[in-house]
Amino acid sequence: KEVSWLPSYGPEMRGGTANCSVCISSDPICSPLVVTPNVFVAMNGPSYDKFIDSVVPGGIVILDSTLVEREVKRDDITVCLVPATKLAEHGLKGLANIILIGKLMEQTGFCNLDTMSKAIAKVVPARKQHLVPKNVEAIELGMNYKG
C-alpha cells in the first residue's frame, strides 16, 4: 500500500484541534491533503466540531465517546462511539488512540491484526519492546468493541 500523512499542529496544538490527514491507497498518492475524508477519527469535542461536516456522505466517523460528548446529527454516515479513554483506564493507560485504531481496522479493513502487530513490533524501539503486547491488546480491544 501507498501511505502519506500530513500533520497540522499550528497554534491549536495546545488544547485545540491539531489534526493529521492520512491517505492509504493501492495507487500512488498525488497529494497528502485530505479535504473531504471518507473516514474521520475524533478524540475531542473541538476536533469533532471543526471536521464533522467535511466527512463525505457514506463515510465512517469514529469518536472517543469519553471525550466527545456530542449527539451526531448526520444520518448519512456510519458512526462508531467507542469510550476509548475510559477503556484505556483498565491496564491500557495512554493507549486510547490505539484502541481507536483497532476500531478503524475493524470498520475499514485497511490491514489485518497480524500485519499491525508486526508493524508495531518493528517501529517500537528495542528498549521499549515490552510495550508491544499492550499496544496489540489495545488494537484487539478496539477491533472487538461492540458498544
CSV table of all heavy atoms in Angstrom, one decimal, residues 24-61:
chain,number,residue,atom,x,y,z
A,24,ILE,N,-4.3,6.2,2.5
A,24,ILE,CA,-3.8,4.8,2.3
A,24,ILE,C,-4.4,4.4,1.0
A,24,ILE,O,-5.6,4.5,0.8
A,24,ILE,CB,-4.2,3.9,3.4
A,24,ILE,CG1,-3.7,4.4,4.7
A,24,ILE,CG2,-3.8,2.5,3.1
A,24,ILE,CD1,-4.3,3.6,6.0
A,25,SER,N,-3.6,3.9,0.0
A,25,SER,CA,-4.1,3.6,-1.3
A,25,SER,C,-3.3,2.5,-1.9
A,25,SER,O,-2.1,2.4,-1.6
A,25,SER,CB,-4.1,4.9,-2.2
A,25,SER,OG,-4.5,4.5,-3.5
A,26,SER,N,-3.9,1.8,-2.9
A,26,SER,CA,-3.1,0.9,-3.7
A,26,SER,C,-2.4,1.6,-4.8
A,26,SER,O,-1.5,1.1,-5.4
A,26,SER,CB,-4.1,-0.2,-4.3
A,26,SER,OG,-4.6,-0.9,-3.2
A,27,ASP,N,-2.9,2.8,-5.1
A,27,ASP,CA,-2.3,3.6,-6.2
A,27,ASP,C,-1.4,4.7,-5.6
A,27,ASP,O,-1.5,5.0,-4.4
A,27,ASP,CB,-3.4,4.3,-7.0
A,27,ASP,CG,-4.4,3.3,-7.6
A,27,ASP,OD1,-3.9,2.2,-8.1
A,27,ASP,OD2,-5.6,3.5,-7.6
A,28,PRO,N,-0.5,5.3,-6.4
A,28,PRO,CA,0.3,6.4,-5.9
A,28,PRO,C,-0.6,7.5,-5.4
A,28,PRO,O,-1.7,7.8,-6.0
A,28,PRO,CB,1.1,6.8,-7.2
A,28,PRO,CG,1.1,5.6,-8.0
A,28,PRO,CD,-0.2,4.9,-7.8
A,29,ILE,N,-0.2,8.2,-4.4
A,29,ILE,CA,-0.9,9.3,-3.8
A,29,ILE,C,-0.3,10.6,-4.3
A,29,ILE,O,0.9,10.9,-4.1
A,29,ILE,CB,-0.8,9.2,-2.3
A,29,ILE,CG1,-1.5,7.9,-1.8
A,29,ILE,CG2,-1.5,10.4,-1.6
A,29,ILE,CD1,-1.3,7.5,-0.4
A,30,CYS,N,-1.1,11.4,-5.0
A,30,CYS,CA,-0.6,12.6,-5.6
A,30,CYS,C,-0.5,13.8,-4.6
A,30,CYS,O,0.3,14.6,-4.7
A,30,CYS,CB,-1.6,13.0,-6.7
A,30,CYS,SG,-1.6,11.8,-8.1
A,31,SER,N,-1.4,13.8,-3.6
A,31,SER,CA,-1.4,14.9,-2.6
A,31,SER,C,-1.8,14.3,-1.2
A,31,SER,O,-2.7,13.5,-1.1
A,31,SER,CB,-2.4,16.0,-3.0
A,31,SER,OG,-2.5,16.9,-1.9
A,32,PRO,N,-1.0,14.7,-0.2
A,32,PRO,CA,-1.4,14.2,1.1
A,32,PRO,C,-2.5,14.9,1.8
A,32,PRO,O,-3.0,14.6,2.9
A,32,PRO,CB,-0.1,14.4,1.9
A,32,PRO,CG,0.6,15.6,1.3
A,32,PRO,CD,0.2,15.4,-0.2
A,33,LEU,N,-3.0,16.0,1.2
A,33,LEU,CA,-4.0,16.8,1.7
A,33,LEU,C,-5.4,16.2,1.6
A,33,LEU,O,-5.7,15.7,0.5
A,33,LEU,CB,-4.0,18.2,1.1
A,33,LEU,CG,-5.0,19.2,1.6
A,33,LEU,CD1,-4.7,19.5,3.1
A,33,LEU,CD2,-5.0,20.5,0.8
A,34,VAL,N,-6.1,16.1,2.7
A,34,VAL,CA,-7.5,15.5,2.7
A,34,VAL,C,-8.5,16.6,3.0
A,34,VAL,O,-8.4,17.1,4.1
A,34,VAL,CB,-7.6,14.3,3.7
A,34,VAL,CG1,-9.0,13.8,3.7
A,34,VAL,CG2,-6.6,13.2,3.4
A,35,VAL,N,-9.3,16.9,2.1
A,35,VAL,CA,-10.3,18.0,2.3
A,35,VAL,C,-11.6,17.4,2.7
A,35,VAL,O,-12.4,17.9,3.5
A,35,VAL,CB,-10.4,18.9,1.0
A,35,VAL,CG1,-11.5,19.9,1.2
A,35,VAL,CG2,-9.1,19.5,0.7
A,36,THR,N,-12.0,16.3,2.0
A,36,THR,CA,-13.3,15.6,2.3
A,36,THR,C,-13.0,14.1,2.6
A,36,THR,O,-13.0,13.3,1.7
A,36,THR,CB,-14.2,15.7,1.1
A,36,THR,OG1,-13.6,15.2,-0.1
A,36,THR,CG2,-14.7,17.1,0.9
A,37,PRO,N,-12.7,13.8,3.9
A,37,PRO,CA,-12.3,12.5,4.3
A,37,PRO,C,-13.5,11.5,4.2
A,37,PRO,O,-14.7,11.9,4.4
A,37,PRO,CB,-11.9,12.7,5.7
A,37,PRO,CG,-12.7,13.8,6.2
A,37,PRO,CD,-12.8,14.8,5.0
A,38,ASN,N,-13.2,10.2,3.9
A,38,ASN,CA,-14.2,9.2,3.9
A,38,ASN,C,-14.2,8.5,5.3
A,38,ASN,O,-15.1,7.7,5.6
A,38,ASN,CB,-14.0,8.2,2.8
A,38,ASN,CG,-12.7,7.5,2.8
A,38,ASN,OD1,-11.8,7.8,3.5
A,38,ASN,ND2,-12.5,6.6,1.9
A,39,VAL,N,-13.1,8.8,6.1
A,39,VAL,CA,-13.1,8.3,7.5
A,39,VAL,C,-12.6,9.5,8.4
A,39,VAL,O,-11.6,10.2,8.0
A,39,VAL,CB,-12.1,7.1,7.6
A,39,VAL,CG1,-12.0,6.7,9.1
A,39,VAL,CG2,-12.5,6.0,6.8
A,40,PHE,N,-13.2,9.6,9.5
A,40,PHE,CA,-12.8,10.7,10.5
A,40,PHE,C,-12.8,10.1,11.9
A,40,PHE,O,-13.7,9.5,12.3
A,40,PHE,CB,-13.8,11.8,10.4
A,40,PHE,CG,-13.7,12.9,11.4
A,40,PHE,CD1,-12.5,13.4,11.8
A,40,PHE,CD2,-14.9,13.3,12.1
A,40,PHE,CE1,-12.4,14.4,12.8
A,40,PHE,CE2,-14.8,14.3,13.0
A,40,PHE,CZ,-13.6,14.9,13.4
A,41,VAL,N,-11.6,10.2,12.6
A,41,VAL,CA,-11.5,9.8,13.9
A,41,VAL,C,-11.3,11.0,14.8
A,41,VAL,O,-10.4,11.8,14.6
A,41,VAL,CB,-10.3,8.8,14.1
A,41,VAL,CG1,-10.1,8.4,15.6
A,41,VAL,CG2,-10.4,7.6,13.2
A,42,ALA,N,-12.2,11.2,15.8
A,42,ALA,CA,-12.1,12.4,16.6
A,42,ALA,C,-11.9,12.0,18.1
A,42,ALA,O,-12.6,11.1,18.6
A,42,ALA,CB,-13.4,13.2,16.5
A,43,MET,N,-10.9,12.6,18.7
A,43,MET,CA,-10.6,12.3,20.1
A,43,MET,C,-10.9,13.5,21.0
A,43,MET,O,-10.6,13.4,22.2
A,43,MET,CB,-9.1,12.0,20.2
A,43,MET,CG,-8.7,10.8,19.4
A,43,MET,SD,-7.0,10.2,19.7
A,43,MET,CE,-7.1,9.7,21.4
A,44,ASN,N,-11.6,14.5,20.5
A,44,ASN,CA,-12.0,15.6,21.4
A,44,ASN,C,-13.1,16.4,20.7
A,44,ASN,O,-13.3,16.3,19.5
A,44,ASN,CB,-10.9,16.5,21.8
A,44,ASN,CG,-10.2,17.2,20.6
A,44,ASN,OD1,-10.8,17.8,19.8
A,44,ASN,ND2,-8.9,17.1,20.5
A,45,GLY,N,-13.9,17.1,21.5
A,45,GLY,CA,-15.0,17.9,21.0
A,45,GLY,C,-14.7,19.0,20.0
A,45,GLY,O,-15.3,19.1,19.0
A,46,PRO,N,-13.6,19.8,20.2
A,46,PRO,CA,-13.3,20.8,19.3
A,46,PRO,C,-13.0,20.2,17.9
A,46,PRO,O,-13.3,20.8,16.8
A,46,PRO,CB,-12.1,21.5,19.9
A,46,PRO,CG,-12.3,21.4,21.4
A,46,PRO,CD,-12.9,20.0,21.5
A,47,SER,N,-12.3,19.1,17.8
A,47,SER,CA,-11.9,18.5,16.6
A,47,SER,C,-13.2,18.0,15.9
A,47,SER,O,-13.4,18.1,14.7
A,47,SER,CB,-11.0,17.3,16.7
A,47,SER,OG,-9.7,17.8,17.2
A,48,TYR,N,-14.1,17.3,16.7
A,48,TYR,CA,-15.4,16.9,16.1
A,48,TYR,C,-16.1,18.1,15.5
A,48,TYR,O,-16.5,18.0,14.3
A,48,TYR,CB,-16.2,16.2,17.2
A,48,TYR,CG,-17.6,16.0,16.7
A,48,TYR,CD1,-17.9,14.8,16.1
A,48,TYR,CD2,-18.6,16.9,17.0
A,48,TYR,CE1,-19.2,14.5,15.6
A,48,TYR,CE2,-19.9,16.6,16.5
A,48,TYR,CZ,-20.2,15.4,15.9
A,48,TYR,OH,-21.5,15.2,15.4
A,49,ASP,N,-16.2,19.2,16.2
A,49,ASP,CA,-17.0,20.3,15.7
A,49,ASP,C,-16.4,20.9,14.5
A,49,ASP,O,-17.1,21.3,13.5
A,49,ASP,CB,-17.0,21.4,16.8
A,49,ASP,CG,-17.8,21.1,18.1
A,49,ASP,OD1,-18.6,20.1,18.0
A,49,ASP,OD2,-17.5,21.7,19.1
A,50,LYS,N,-15.0,20.9,14.4
A,50,LYS,CA,-14.4,21.5,13.2
A,50,LYS,C,-14.5,20.7,12.0
A,50,LYS,O,-14.6,21.2,10.9
A,50,LYS,CB,-12.9,21.8,13.6
A,50,LYS,CG,-12.1,22.5,12.5
A,50,LYS,CD,-10.7,22.9,12.9
A,50,LYS,CE,-10.0,23.6,11.8
A,50,LYS,NZ,-8.7,24.1,12.3
A,51,PHE,N,-14.5,19.3,12.1
A,51,PHE,CA,-14.3,18.5,10.9
A,51,PHE,C,-15.5,17.6,10.6
A,51,PHE,O,-15.5,17.0,9.5
A,51,PHE,CB,-13.1,17.6,11.1
A,51,PHE,CG,-11.8,18.3,11.2
A,51,PHE,CD1,-11.1,18.5,12.3
A,51,PHE,CD2,-11.3,18.9,10.0
A,51,PHE,CE1,-9.9,19.2,12.4
A,51,PHE,CE2,-10.1,19.7,10.1
A,51,PHE,CZ,-9.4,19.8,11.3
A,52,ILE,N,-16.5,17.5,11.4
A,52,ILE,CA,-17.6,16.5,11.2
A,52,ILE,C,-18.3,16.8,9.8
A,52,ILE,O,-18.7,15.9,9.1
A,52,ILE,CB,-18.6,16.5,12.3
A,52,ILE,CG1,-19.7,15.4,12.1
A,52,ILE,CG2,-19.3,17.8,12.5
A,52,ILE,CD1,-19.1,14.0,12.1
A,53,ASP,N,-18.5,18.1,9.5
A,53,ASP,CA,-19.2,18.4,8.3
A,53,ASP,C,-18.4,18.1,7.0
A,53,ASP,O,-19.0,18.1,5.9
A,53,ASP,CB,-19.7,19.9,8.3
A,53,ASP,CG,-20.7,20.1,9.4
A,53,ASP,OD1,-21.5,19.1,9.7
A,53,ASP,OD2,-20.8,21.2,9.9
A,54,SER,N,-17.1,17.9,7.1
A,54,SER,CA,-16.3,17.6,5.9
A,54,SER,C,-16.3,16.2,5.5
A,54,SER,O,-15.9,15.9,4.4
A,54,SER,CB,-14.9,18.1,6.2
A,54,SER,OG,-14.3,17.3,7.2
A,55,VAL,N,-16.8,15.3,6.3
A,55,VAL,CA,-16.9,13.8,6.0
A,55,VAL,C,-17.9,13.6,4.9
A,55,VAL,O,-19.0,14.1,4.9
A,55,VAL,CB,-17.3,13.0,7.2
A,55,VAL,CG1,-17.3,11.5,6.9
A,55,VAL,CG2,-16.3,13.2,8.4
A,56,VAL,N,-17.4,12.8,3.9
A,56,VAL,CA,-18.3,12.6,2.7
A,56,VAL,C,-19.5,11.7,3.1
A,56,VAL,O,-19.4,10.9,4.1
A,56,VAL,CB,-17.5,11.8,1.6
A,56,VAL,CG1,-16.4,12.7,1.1
A,56,VAL,CG2,-17.0,10.5,2.0
A,57,PRO,N,-20.7,11.9,2.5
A,57,PRO,CA,-21.8,11.0,2.8
A,57,PRO,C,-21.4,9.6,2.5
A,57,PRO,O,-20.6,9.3,1.6
A,57,PRO,CB,-22.8,11.4,1.7
A,57,PRO,CG,-22.5,12.9,1.5
A,57,PRO,CD,-21.0,12.9,1.5
A,58,GLY,N,-21.8,8.7,3.4
A,58,GLY,CA,-21.4,7.3,3.3
A,58,GLY,C,-20.1,7.0,4.1
A,58,GLY,O,-19.6,5.9,4.2
A,59,GLY,N,-19.5,8.1,4.6
A,59,GLY,CA,-18.2,7.9,5.4
A,59,GLY,C,-18.4,7.3,6.7
A,59,GLY,O,-19.5,7.0,7.2
A,60,ILE,N,-17.3,7.1,7.4
A,60,ILE,CA,-17.2,6.5,8.7
A,60,ILE,C,-16.6,7.5,9.7
A,60,ILE,O,-15.6,8.1,9.4
A,60,ILE,CB,-16.3,5.2,8.7
A,60,ILE,CG1,-16.9,4.1,7.7
A,60,ILE,CG2,-16.2,4.6,10.1
A,60,ILE,CD1,-16.0,3.0,7.5
A,61,VAL,N,-17.3,7.6,10.8
A,61,VAL,CA,-16.8,8.5,11.9
A,61,VAL,C,-16.7,7.7,13.2
A,61,VAL,O,-17.6,7.0,13.6
A,61,VAL,CB,-17.8,9.7,12.1
A,61,VAL,CG1,-17.4,10.5,13.3
A,61,VAL,CG2,-17.9,10.5,10.9
